[in-house]
Amino acid sequence: MEDIERLQTRLANIRSARPILNALRTISLGRWQTALRHQRLVDGYRGELHRLLLSLRPLIAAPSAYPPGPALAGVLLIAVGTERGLCGRFSIDVLDHALVMHADYVAGGIDTRLIGLGAQIGRAAKRRKVDIEVQRLAASRLPTAEDAIEIVRPVLEDYEAGAFDAAFMVYGKATGSGGLQRTMQQIVPVPLDLHSSEMQDMADLPIVETSPYALYTQVLQQLAALTVHNVLLESAAAEYLTRFQLMDSATRNAERLTDELSMAMQDVTRQAITREVQTLAVSAGLVGGQTARKG
C-alpha cells in the first residue's frame, strides 16, 4: 500500500504540472513567432533608412557622422541576456562568449568595457565572479523601440565624447535548424554597405530642403536605434525558442513519466491483488489442502 500511495502521489503531481507545462510551451511558441514578425518589420525599416543614408552621402562634406578611427583604442561590449529563467544556459553562454571577446581585446591592448542586459546576465556574472554593470530588460513583453532608444542614447553620447571607438552587442541568435549560436552586431560606427547594388543604382540625387548633414546625422541615430531594436528582438526570439524547446521537452517527459507510473501502478496493484488472493487461499486452507493431498 505504501508503494501504491507513493506512486499515486507522484502521478498526481505530474498530472497537475502538465497543464502548466503545456501553457508555458504555448506562450513561448506564440511570443517566438511574434518576435520574428516584429523583427522582419524592423529589418525592413532598417533597409529603407540604409537606402536613405546612401542617397544622402554625396550631399554632405563628411563621409559619415560617426567615422571609425584608424585603429581601435577602446571598445564597448554589450552582452544581451534574459530577464527571466527557464531557458537553460542561454544567458550564461552569451556572457561566456562576451568574456572571451573581452579577454581578446584586452590582450590586444584595447581598453574594453563590458556591460550586460537582463537580470540573468547579472546572476551569471556573479557566478563567474565578474563585476559588470547590468541594465534590466522588460520581463513581460517584447522589446520596443523605446527600449532600444533608452539603450542606444548613452552609447551614442559616450561614442561622440570619445569614450570608445566602437560598440558591439553580443547575443544569442536562432539558426535555421532550430539551434542557437552566439554572435555579435556592431552598433557604432553605424555599419553601411557602400558596395551594395542600391548605391550603384542611385542615378538621381534626392532634393533636400534642410541641412543634408543634420538629416544624415539624425537618420544615422535612428539607424543605430533600429539596429539595437533588431538585436533585442532577435535575442528575444532565440530566448523564446529556447524556452519553447525546453517546455516541449519537459511536456514530453511528463507524458512519458505518466505512462511509466501508470504501468508501475498497474503492476503494483496486480501484485497486491495476487498477494491478497494467496492470503485468502491460505486462510481457507485451499493451498495447504492441496499440498497435503499431494503429500
Side-chain angles (χ1 to χ4, degrees):
M1 289 298 295
E2 189 172 331
D3 289 339
I4 294 180
E5 291 177 357
R6 180 172 57 84
L7 290 172
Q8 287 176 336
T9 301
R10 291 185 60 191
L11 188 57
N13 290 338
I14 293 175
R15 283 175 174 168
S16 63
R18 284 178 59 180
I20 300 175
L21 295 174
N22 280 323
L24 290 174
R25 181 179 62 175
T26 302
I27 292 172
S28 299
L29 177 61
R31 290 193 173 180
W32 169 42
Q33 294 174 339
T34 303
L36 291 178
R37 288 196 299 270
H38 287 192
Q39 184 190 348
R40 287 192 291 268
L41 293 174
V42 171
D43 203 42
Y45 187 29
R46 284 177 64 208
E48 294 297 328
L49 287 183
H50 185 267
R51 284 188 285 272
L52 178 58
L53 282 176
L54 294 180
S55 67
L56 288 173
R57 283 178 65 86
L59 302 178
I60 62 177
S64 172
Y66 305 118
L72 291 178
V75 168
L76 172 66
L77 296 177
I78 304 175
V80 184
T82 65
E83 193 64 29
R84 298 175 297 171
L86 295 180
C87 50
R89 291 181 50 89
F90 187 93
S91 296
I92 296 175
D93 291 343
V94 168
L95 178 63
D96 287 345
H97 187 63
L99 289 174
V100 170
M101 294 180 59
H102 183 275
D104 290 342
Y105 279 126
V106 172
I110 300 174
D111 183 22
T112 307
R113 177 189 172 198
L114 174 62
I115 64 175
L117 297 179
Q120 295 300 320
I121 284 286
R123 294 187 178 94
K126 287 182 179 179
R127 286 194 289 269
R128 295 288 187 270
K129 300 187 184 318
V130 177
D131 185 19
I132 65 172
E133 174 189 345
V134 177
Q135 300 178 22
R136 301 296 296 268
L137 292 171
S140 58
R141 57 172 173 75
L142 290 173
T144 64
E146 289 74 17
D147 297 329
I149 292 173
E150 185 177 349
I151 292 171
V152 79
R153 183 182 293 114
V155 173
L156 292 176
E157 291 174 355
D158 290 346
Y159 177 76
E160 293 170 352
F164 45 80
D165 300 308
F168 303 91
M169 298 187 80
V170 183
Y171 64 102
K173 177 180 180 180
T175 63
S177 60
L180 292 172
Q181 68 178 16
R182 309 307 163 194
T183 186
M184 61 182 290
Q185 172 66 54
Q186 180 175 322
I187 308 173
V188 289
V190 176
L192 296 177
D193 185 4
L194 302 181
H195 304 286
S196 67
S197 57
E198 297 167 356
M199 187 167 187
Q200 304 301 326
D201 294 340
M202 288 177 183
D204 300 325
L205 296 179
I207 299 175
V208 180
E209 297 182 353
T210 184
S211 167
Y213 184 82
L215 179 60
Y216 186 82
T217 302
Q218 184 177 5
V219 175
L220 265 178
Q221 293 172 350
Q222 292 185 17
L223 186 56
L226 282 173
T227 300
V228 172
H229 193 191
N230 188 71
V231 167
L232 293 177
L233 287 172
E234 198 166 21
S235 177
E239 172 193 347
Y240 284 116
L241 173 60
T242 301
R243 185 174 284 113
F244 166 75
Q245 291 172 336
L246 291 174
M247 293 302 102
D248 185 61
S249 177
T251 300
R252 286 186 278 107
N253 287 338
E255 293 173 352
R256 177 181 56 81
L257 284 174
T258 299
D259 294 338
E260 292 178 355
L261 289 174
S262 297
M263 294 179 62
M265 280 191 61
Q266 292 175 5
D267 291 339
V268 171
T269 302
R270 281 195 296 266
Q271 293 173 10
I273 293 173
T274 301
R275 287 194 298 268
E276 188 69 23
V277 170
Q278 289 175 344
T279 301
L280 291 173
V282 171
S283 300
L286 297 177
V287 174
Q290 293 175 357
T291 303
R293 285 196 294 272
K294 286 181 180 179

